[in-house]
Amino acid sequence: MGQPKLFNYLSGYSPQVQQQVLALLESNQSGIWLQKKYPQAHELVSEKALYDYAQGIKNQYMRSSSPISKVVYDDKIHIINNALGLHTYVSRVQGAKLKKKNEIRISSLFRKVPEAFLRMILVHELAHLREKEHDKAFYKLCCYMEPEYHQLEFDLRLYLCHRERFGDLWGRSTD
């Protein structure tokens, strides 16, 4: 029997951190800890609200970057294979010009999570407007837009491990 599925979410972390997470899950304390730190889910359930929220972050930190044309929740994104969201470029020919549109798709699972988690995912996808690769410059930009970026990413991965074992914490998601 291979590693438990939860380690898919934690594969980039040290074995010691993975074992600490496993102990937290096995003691049934992960949900208590997460709900104490993040007591409620966000209320950005409509795609218009999600777009406006993402646009606000972009306007605050990346005003001169390419515009975003669409930000939507997507039922088809699989958490492990496609991460937490997707940033895509849609190119269309309009007359003699090639127009590029930036789209952000967030897994529908994140309709019912704390705002901090949703913000971290959006910051990650917005950073791809400037930085295509997950390199030092990319993560520096993420931390510029969200100083707690790395902690939020870890906490979100802990939640995904918890969810895998026990189910949702902040209400039933639409996945």
Side-chain angles (χ1 to χ4, degrees):
M1 192 170 167
Q3 288 183 322
K5 193 172 182 182
L6 71 95
F7 289 111
N8 289 332
Y9 303 118
L10 301 171
S11 63
Y13 294 92
S14 71
Q16 294 83 4
V17 169
Q18 292 178 15
Q19 288 304 314
Q20 288 175 332
V21 169
L22 188 58
L24 192 62
L25 290 165
E26 288 177 349
S27 67
N28 204 16
Q29 295 297 307
S30 56
I32 295 165
W33 185 84
L34 285 162
Q35 285 188 311
K36 185 175 182 180
K37 190 169 182 179
Y38 306 101
Q40 65 187 27
H42 66 80
E43 296 183 9
L44 302 164
V45 292
S46 76
E47 291 186 349
K48 179 174 180 0
L50 180 64
Y51 175 84
D52 291 344
Y53 186 69
Q55 192 65 37
I57 297 169
K58 182 194 172 300
N59 287 343
Q60 183 176 0
Y61 296 103
M62 299 176 60
R63 190 173 297 269
S64 63
S65 293
S66 303
I68 46 176
S69 60
K70 185 190 281 189
V71 183
V72 296
Y73 289 110
D74 191 332
D75 294 331
K76 295 180 179 104
I77 294 178
H78 185 274
I79 297 301
I80 294 175
N81 294 335
N82 294 323
L84 312 173
L86 294 173
H87 173 255
T88 58
Y89 302 98
V90 178
S91 297
R92 294 187 176 95
V93 177
Q94 292 183 342
K97 294 183 179 178
L98 185 64
K99 296 269 184 161
K100 182 175 82 171
K101 293 190 174 190
N102 293 299
E103 296 181 359
I104 295 174
R105 297 180 178 277
I106 305 295
S107 174
S108 293
L109 161 71
F110 300 113
R111 282 187 196 263
K112 292 287 183 185
V113 295
E115 183 180 338
F117 291 172
L118 182 65
R119 179 180 173 86
M120 186 276 305
I121 296 165
L122 286 169
V123 160
H124 182 100
E125 299 308 327
L126 286 167
H128 281 302
L129 292 174
R130 279 202 196 142
E131 302 293 338
K132 305 307 178 217
E133 302 297 323
H134 292 121
D135 56 15
K136 188 175 181 178
F138 175 84
Y139 287 108
K140 185 176 179 181
L141 180 57
C142 287
C143 290
Y144 167 70
M145 290 189 281
E146 175 50 64
E148 297 295 317
Y149 177 84
H150 293 292
Q151 182 64 52
L152 289 169
E153 181 180 6
F154 178 79
D155 291 352
L156 177 59
R157 290 178 182 281
L158 172 62
Y159 167 63
L160 293 172
C161 294
H162 173 92
R163 183 179 181 274
E164 189 73 36
R165 187 174 278 202
F166 302 109
D168 293 313
L169 283 175
W170 295 281
R172 186 71 200 133
S173 67
T174 58
D175 62 332

